[in-house]
Amino acid sequence: MVRFYLDENVSEKLIPALRDQHHDVTSAIQSGQRTVSDALLLLDAARHGRIFITHNDRDFKLLHEAWRAWSTEWNGEDAARHAGILIIRTSNQTVVPVIVDAIQRLLPTVDTFENRLFRWNIRDDWHEVT
């Protein structure tokens, strides 16, 4: 079981589909944080040990880089860690079962998602963004 936090731009239809795979899933919408900044959403997900799922590539790549750089600078060896970020790059034709299948295929291949960012699209599959 993995704990996920969906950005407001991710379809709520993904929630029951991931729960069917026995994952613990919540979202910005369900948490009443629809208009909260991306930085605070990532912080909330990190506080609750949830991997963040978004479509927002540019902003979350920047947040990930800033998180890693700043938390290391401010906290030294005890750097704060987020639970991971999954950026799902989709087209209008990508359906929920395809996204769930992609996530399910990724999970057993990664030892830890902490402080890591992965990007997926249907053409290129998963790759880690460093």
Side-chain angles (χ1 to χ4, degrees):
M1 188 230 10
V2 177
R3 296 168 50 90
F4 292 110
Y5 192 109
L6 275 56
D7 196 357
E8 67 183 42
N9 64 13
V10 176
S11 171
E12 292 281 299
K13 293 177 183 176
L14 199 56
I15 294 173
L18 287 169
R19 286 181 178 160
D20 286 349
Q21 298 299 316
H22 310 288
H23 299 299
D24 181 344
V25 187
T26 192
S27 70
I29 294 169
Q30 287 185 346
S31 300
Q33 298 190 61
R34 174 173 252 153
T35 60
V36 173
S37 74
D38 291 339
L40 291 177
L41 290 176
L42 181 59
L43 179 60
D44 190 45
R47 285 179 175 154
H48 293 97
R50 293 182 177 275
I51 295 172
F52 198 86
I53 299 177
T54 186
H55 297 306
N56 186 341
D57 193 345
R58 187 188 75 212
D59 291 347
F60 278 90
K61 184 175 185 313
L62 178 62
L63 281 170
H64 169 68
E65 290 170 357
W67 182 292
R68 291 178 60 184
W70 294 341
S71 69
T72 301
E73 180 68 24
W74 293 335
N75 298 315
E77 292 180 20
D78 297 324
R81 304 182 73 74
H82 63 69
I85 301 170
L86 303 181
I87 296 173
I88 309 292
R89 299 191 66 194
T90 62
S91 68
N92 292 338
Q93 292 81 24
T94 308
V95 293
V96 167
V98 172
I99 296 170
V100 171
D101 178 65
I103 292 169
Q104 287 295 104
R105 284 185 293 101
L106 175 67
L107 294 177
T109 68
V110 178
D111 58 340
T112 182
F113 285 87
E114 283 189 346
N115 266 15
R116 295 172 77 185
L117 182 147
F118 295 85
R119 183 184 293 136
W120 176 84
N121 69 52
I122 200 161
R123 185 186 66 234
D124 300 323
D125 207 26
W126 289 105
H127 69 277
E128 185 169 6
V129 178
T130 54

